[in-house]
Amino acid sequence: MAMAGGQVTKVGADSALIQGWLPITALAAVAAHEDVYLIRRPAELVLDEYVEVADNTTEGLQAINGLARHAAGHRGAGVRIAVIDGGFMGYQGLLGVDLPASVTVRNFIDGETDAQVNGTTRHGTACAEIIYDIAPDAALYLVKISTNLDLQEAVAWLMSTHQVDIISTSYGWYNLTPGDGTGEFADLVQVARDSGILWVTSAGNDRESHWGGPYYDPNDRDTHYYNATQNVNFFGPGDGDLYLIPEGYRLSVFLRWDDWTAVDQDYDLLLLRWSGSAWSVIARSDDHQNGGPGQSPTEYVTAVASGSATGYGFVIAL
């Protein structure tokens, strides 16, 4: 990459992944190199639904009988807890109030400084506030990341430099692993667990935003059907009605299927808009899956709603 005018910033996944910067004019030349299977933008984390605590005590403290535990002296003294997130905006104003008087911060995002831990989003700040409510005497580490290789680097630092006891995360990545407990994130958690770290992560936030099942095409039309007649999965409350989505709203759909070894099953993903009388394709993802190197059984499509408020949906196609 250096010879092409770029810079390597991170290496991970047993040296199979390289994160760095390249001039746009060098992309084609680097992609053509025999040792390069695929070039893409780094996969960025997706934060779980927004939480806000402000100057209130989390209701979770009562739910876990936390006050009684505090009274018994279980307040987290001597425990080191790392909160890894996409940002901790406003955390400095909460020190000594809704956060400990002092915390350790570190930023692993390319091109950012540790001072910019205080930025991007309040999501991590809120998560840290909840932990402080539950374990007010614990030492907190606020760690900012964006990509999967940022995460690997952050975990290595927490293990080697600070020997933290607990890692807390409330985010995810889509389409990077099979979702069955295997893959790079499961391996990373296992490494931390083998070092004695308890890794706690959010679960259930996207429970109503997923669908899973076998491919079904009773009408032989090369599209997946969710029942005998419906091949469009539209956004709605689940009772057959469409959400009327206004202009400017961003829609993102991720698709993955169980073919992570051979990667020779080829599906496409189409995002549709309802005109009032028919569906029309507004965006599509049709990456190749023919067993070639660097491929994955995934598709991803995104678009911004336009025009008058109407329904949107998507189709899985062969």
Side-chain angles (χ1 to χ4, degrees), residues 289-317:
Q289 287 91 22
N290 58 11
Q295 297 177 356
S296 66
T298 64
E299 299 287 351
Y300 162 63
V301 64
T302 186
V304 177
S306 61
S308 58
T310 187
Y312 291 82
F314 58 90
V315 164
I316 300 170

mmCIF file of all heavy atoms in Angstrom, residues 289-317:
data_model
loop_
_atom_site.group_PDB
_atom_site.id
_atom_site.type_symbol
_atom_site.label_atom_id
_atom_site.label_comp_id
_atom_site.label_asym_id
_atom_site.label_seq_id
_atom_site.Cartn_x
_atom_site.Cartn_y
_atom_site.Cartn_z
ATOM 1 N N GLN A 289 -21.399 -14.322 -6.155
ATOM 2 C CA GLN A 289 -21.067 -15.455 -5.275
ATOM 3 C C GLN A 289 -20.924 -16.685 -6.167
ATOM 4 O O GLN A 289 -21.897 -17.382 -6.458
ATOM 5 C CB GLN A 289 -22.156 -15.679 -4.215
ATOM 6 C CG GLN A 289 -22.188 -14.643 -3.106
ATOM 7 C CD GLN A 289 -23.104 -13.472 -3.399
ATOM 8 O OE1 GLN A 289 -24.012 -13.576 -4.213
ATOM 9 N NE2 GLN A 289 -22.884 -12.351 -2.727
ATOM 10 N N ASN A 290 -19.702 -16.907 -6.621
ATOM 11 C CA ASN A 290 -19.435 -18.036 -7.512
ATOM 12 C C ASN A 290 -18.254 -18.876 -7.033
ATOM 13 O O ASN A 290 -17.634 -19.585 -7.808
ATOM 14 C CB ASN A 290 -19.183 -17.552 -8.939
ATOM 15 C CG ASN A 290 -18.026 -16.562 -9.029
ATOM 16 O OD1 ASN A 290 -17.282 -16.388 -8.068
ATOM 17 N ND2 ASN A 290 -17.878 -15.925 -10.180
ATOM 18 N N GLY A 291 -17.949 -18.759 -5.723
ATOM 19 C CA GLY A 291 -16.851 -19.523 -5.157
ATOM 20 C C GLY A 291 -15.504 -18.853 -5.255
ATOM 21 O O GLY A 291 -14.488 -19.439 -4.864
ATOM 22 N N GLY A 292 -15.465 -17.622 -5.747
ATOM 23 C CA GLY A 292 -14.201 -16.923 -5.890
ATOM 24 C C GLY A 292 -13.658 -16.443 -4.556
ATOM 25 O O GLY A 292 -14.394 -16.338 -3.565
ATOM 26 N N PRO A 293 -12.370 -16.156 -4.485
ATOM 27 C CA PRO A 293 -11.750 -15.719 -3.222
ATOM 28 C C PRO A 293 -12.291 -14.373 -2.773
ATOM 29 O O PRO A 293 -12.600 -13.503 -3.590
ATOM 30 C CB PRO A 293 -10.262 -15.633 -3.574
ATOM 31 C CG PRO A 293 -10.231 -15.442 -5.063
ATOM 32 C CD PRO A 293 -11.404 -16.207 -5.594
ATOM 33 N N GLY A 294 -12.403 -14.207 -1.459
ATOM 34 C CA GLY A 294 -12.838 -12.947 -0.890
ATOM 35 C C GLY A 294 -14.324 -12.703 -0.896
ATOM 36 O O GLY A 294 -14.784 -11.678 -0.396
ATOM 37 N N GLN A 295 -15.091 -13.632 -1.445
ATOM 38 C CA GLN A 295 -16.535 -13.444 -1.517
ATOM 39 C C GLN A 295 -17.202 -13.870 -0.210
ATOM 40 O O GLN A 295 -16.656 -14.655 0.562
ATOM 41 C CB GLN A 295 -17.121 -14.250 -2.685
ATOM 42 C CG GLN A 295 -16.617 -13.807 -4.042
ATOM 43 C CD GLN A 295 -17.155 -14.661 -5.175
ATOM 44 O OE1 GLN A 295 -17.863 -15.644 -4.973
ATOM 45 N NE2 GLN A 295 -16.800 -14.303 -6.401
ATOM 46 N N SER A 296 -18.404 -13.330 0.037
ATOM 47 C CA SER A 296 -19.175 -13.725 1.209
ATOM 48 C C SER A 296 -20.639 -13.871 0.813
ATOM 49 O O SER A 296 -21.103 -13.210 -0.126
ATOM 50 C CB SER A 296 -19.041 -12.692 2.327
ATOM 51 O OG SER A 296 -19.641 -11.464 1.958
ATOM 52 N N PRO A 297 -21.380 -14.722 1.511
ATOM 53 C CA PRO A 297 -22.798 -14.943 1.188
ATOM 54 C C PRO A 297 -23.657 -13.833 1.792
ATOM 55 O O PRO A 297 -24.498 -14.073 2.664
ATOM 56 C CB PRO A 297 -23.080 -16.306 1.810
ATOM 57 C CG PRO A 297 -22.175 -16.363 2.992
ATOM 58 C CD PRO A 297 -20.932 -15.622 2.590
ATOM 59 N N THR A 298 -23.447 -12.620 1.311
ATOM 60 C CA THR A 298 -24.147 -11.460 1.854
ATOM 61 C C THR A 298 -24.482 -10.468 0.750
ATOM 62 O O THR A 298 -23.808 -10.409 -0.274
ATOM 63 C CB THR A 298 -23.293 -10.736 2.908
ATOM 64 O OG1 THR A 298 -22.108 -10.220 2.283
ATOM 65 C CG2 THR A 298 -22.907 -11.668 4.055
ATOM 66 N N GLU A 299 -25.524 -9.698 0.987
ATOM 67 C CA GLU A 299 -25.858 -8.556 0.151
ATOM 68 C C GLU A 299 -26.336 -7.431 1.067
ATOM 69 O O GLU A 299 -26.845 -7.689 2.162
ATOM 70 C CB GLU A 299 -26.971 -8.891 -0.861
ATOM 71 C CG GLU A 299 -26.645 -10.000 -1.845
ATOM 72 C CD GLU A 299 -25.646 -9.603 -2.925
ATOM 73 O OE1 GLU A 299 -25.322 -8.389 -3.029
ATOM 74 O OE2 GLU A 299 -25.179 -10.491 -3.656
ATOM 75 N N TYR A 300 -26.157 -6.197 0.619
ATOM 76 C CA TYR A 300 -26.556 -5.039 1.420
ATOM 77 C C TYR A 300 -27.033 -3.948 0.480
ATOM 78 O O TYR A 300 -26.391 -3.651 -0.527
ATOM 79 C CB TYR A 300 -25.378 -4.547 2.258
ATOM 80 C CG TYR A 300 -25.532 -3.134 2.777
ATOM 81 C CD1 TYR A 300 -26.551 -2.804 3.667
ATOM 82 C CD2 TYR A 300 -24.653 -2.126 2.368
ATOM 83 C CE1 TYR A 300 -26.688 -1.507 4.148
ATOM 84 C CE2 TYR A 300 -24.771 -0.830 2.843
ATOM 85 C CZ TYR A 300 -25.799 -0.528 3.735
ATOM 86 O OH TYR A 300 -25.941 0.751 4.202
ATOM 87 N N VAL A 301 -28.171 -3.346 0.806
ATOM 88 C CA VAL A 301 -28.709 -2.278 -0.023
ATOM 89 C C VAL A 301 -29.212 -1.157 0.878
ATOM 90 O O VAL A 301 -29.721 -1.402 1.977
ATOM 91 C CB VAL A 301 -29.853 -2.810 -0.929
ATOM 92 C CG1 VAL A 301 -31.040 -3.285 -0.107
ATOM 93 C CG2 VAL A 301 -30.275 -1.771 -1.944
ATOM 94 N N THR A 302 -29.041 0.073 0.415
ATOM 95 C CA THR A 302 -29.519 1.221 1.168
ATOM 96 C C THR A 302 -29.983 2.295 0.200
ATOM 97 O O THR A 302 -29.485 2.393 -0.928
ATOM 98 C CB THR A 302 -28.425 1.777 2.102
ATOM 99 O OG1 THR A 302 -28.983 2.824 2.920
ATOM 100 C CG2 THR A 302 -27.251 2.325 1.322
ATOM 101 N N ALA A 303 -30.952 3.094 0.628
ATOM 102 C CA ALA A 303 -31.464 4.196 -0.187
ATOM 103 C C ALA A 303 -32.199 5.157 0.737
ATOM 104 O O ALA A 303 -32.583 4.795 1.855
ATOM 105 C CB ALA A 303 -32.386 3.698 -1.293
ATOM 106 N N VAL A 304 -32.403 6.360 0.255
ATOM 107 C CA VAL A 304 -33.138 7.378 1.005
ATOM 108 C C VAL A 304 -34.508 7.534 0.383
ATOM 109 O O VAL A 304 -34.638 7.687 -0.840
ATOM 110 C CB VAL A 304 -32.381 8.720 1.005
ATOM 111 C CG1 VAL A 304 -33.193 9.790 1.716
ATOM 112 C CG2 VAL A 304 -31.011 8.562 1.658
ATOM 113 N N ALA A 305 -35.552 7.474 1.217
ATOM 114 C CA ALA A 305 -36.915 7.634 0.728
ATOM 115 C C ALA A 305 -37.080 8.998 0.061
ATOM 116 O O ALA A 305 -36.528 9.999 0.510
ATOM 117 C CB ALA A 305 -37.912 7.484 1.883
ATOM 118 N N SER A 306 -37.842 9.021 -1.029
ATOM 119 C CA SER A 306 -38.033 10.252 -1.778
ATOM 120 C C SER A 306 -39.498 10.396 -2.161
ATOM 121 O O SER A 306 -40.272 9.429 -2.137
ATOM 122 C CB SER A 306 -37.162 10.257 -3.042
ATOM 123 O OG SER A 306 -37.513 9.175 -3.882
ATOM 124 N N GLY A 307 -39.868 11.619 -2.528
ATOM 125 C CA GLY A 307 -41.245 11.863 -2.938
ATOM 126 C C GLY A 307 -42.212 11.808 -1.773
ATOM 127 O O GLY A 307 -41.836 11.925 -0.611
ATOM 128 N N SER A 308 -43.467 11.641 -2.080
ATOM 129 C CA SER A 308 -44.495 11.586 -1.044
ATOM 130 C C SER A 308 -44.341 10.320 -0.212
ATOM 131 O O SER A 308 -43.784 9.312 -0.666
ATOM 132 C CB SER A 308 -45.880 11.623 -1.680
ATOM 133 O OG SER A 308 -46.049 10.543 -2.587
ATOM 134 N N ALA A 309 -44.828 10.375 1.023
ATOM 135 C CA ALA A 309 -44.725 9.225 1.923
ATOM 136 C C ALA A 309 -45.455 8.023 1.333
ATOM 137 O O ALA A 309 -46.594 8.124 0.881
ATOM 138 C CB ALA A 309 -45.314 9.583 3.282
ATOM 139 N N THR A 310 -44.769 6.893 1.334
ATOM 140 C CA THR A 310 -45.365 5.677 0.780
ATOM 141 C C THR A 310 -44.685 4.459 1.378
ATOM 142 O O THR A 310 -43.819 4.575 2.250
ATOM 143 C CB THR A 310 -45.241 5.666 -0.755
ATOM 144 O OG1 THR A 310 -45.982 4.540 -1.280
ATOM 145 C CG2 THR A 310 -43.791 5.545 -1.195
ATOM 146 N N GLY A 311 -45.058 3.272 0.904
ATOM 147 C CA GLY A 311 -44.501 2.045 1.419
ATOM 148 C C GLY A 311 -43.227 1.630 0.709
ATOM 149 O O GLY A 311 -42.989 1.983 -0.449
ATOM 150 N N TYR A 312 -42.390 0.900 1.437
ATOM 151 C CA TYR A 312 -41.153 0.361 0.889
ATOM 152 C C TYR A 312 -41.016 -1.093 1.322
ATOM 153 O O TYR A 312 -41.530 -1.497 2.377
ATOM 154 C CB TYR A 312 -39.936 1.156 1.370
ATOM 155 C CG TYR A 312 -39.854 2.545 0.809
ATOM 156 C CD1 TYR A 312 -40.598 3.599 1.379
ATOM 157 C CD2 TYR A 312 -39.071 2.835 -0.302
ATOM 158 C CE1 TYR A 312 -40.535 4.888 0.850
ATOM 159 C CE2 TYR A 312 -39.001 4.124 -0.828
ATOM 160 C CZ TYR A 312 -39.734 5.140 -0.247
ATOM 161 O OH TYR A 312 -39.675 6.401 -0.773
ATOM 162 N N GLY A 313 -40.315 -1.864 0.520
ATOM 163 C CA GLY A 313 -40.089 -3.264 0.849
ATOM 164 C C GLY A 313 -38.874 -3.790 0.107
ATOM 165 O O GLY A 313 -38.161 -3.035 -0.572
ATOM 166 N N PHE A 314 -38.646 -5.095 0.211
ATOM 167 C CA PHE A 314 -37.493 -5.664 -0.482
ATOM 168 C C PHE A 314 -37.814 -7.076 -0.945
ATOM 169 O O PHE A 314 -38.724 -7.742 -0.440
ATOM 170 C CB PHE A 314 -36.242 -5.672 0.410
ATOM 171 C CG PHE A 314 -36.390 -6.429 1.710
ATOM 172 C CD1 PHE A 314 -36.083 -7.770 1.779
ATOM 173 C CD2 PHE A 314 -36.825 -5.788 2.851
ATOM 174 C CE1 PHE A 314 -36.218 -8.474 2.964
ATOM 175 C CE2 PHE A 314 -36.964 -6.456 4.037
ATOM 176 C CZ PHE A 314 -36.657 -7.808 4.115
ATOM 177 N N VAL A 315 -37.027 -7.545 -1.914
ATOM 178 C CA VAL A 315 -37.188 -8.854 -2.513
ATOM 179 C C VAL A 315 -35.829 -9.564 -2.520
ATOM 180 O O VAL A 315 -34.807 -8.940 -2.805
ATOM 181 C CB VAL A 315 -37.733 -8.759 -3.956
ATOM 182 C CG1 VAL A 315 -37.542 -10.076 -4.722
ATOM 183 C CG2 VAL A 315 -39.210 -8.378 -3.942
ATOM 184 N N ILE A 316 -35.830 -10.857 -2.185
ATOM 185 C CA ILE A 316 -34.648 -11.711 -2.315
ATOM 186 C C ILE A 316 -34.803 -12.498 -3.613
ATOM 187 O O ILE A 316 -35.782 -13.215 -3.791
ATOM 188 C CB ILE A 316 -34.536 -12.651 -1.131
ATOM 189 C CG1 ILE A 316 -34.429 -11.860 0.171
ATOM 190 C CG2 ILE A 316 -33.330 -13.582 -1.300
ATOM 191 C CD1 ILE A 316 -34.545 -12.709 1.423
ATOM 192 N N ALA A 317 -33.847 -12.368 -4.515
ATOM 193 C CA ALA A 317 -33.973 -12.970 -5.843
ATOM 194 C C ALA A 317 -32.763 -13.816 -6.170
ATOM 195 O O ALA A 317 -31.652 -13.572 -5.674
ATOM 196 C CB ALA A 317 -34.159 -11.901 -6.890
#
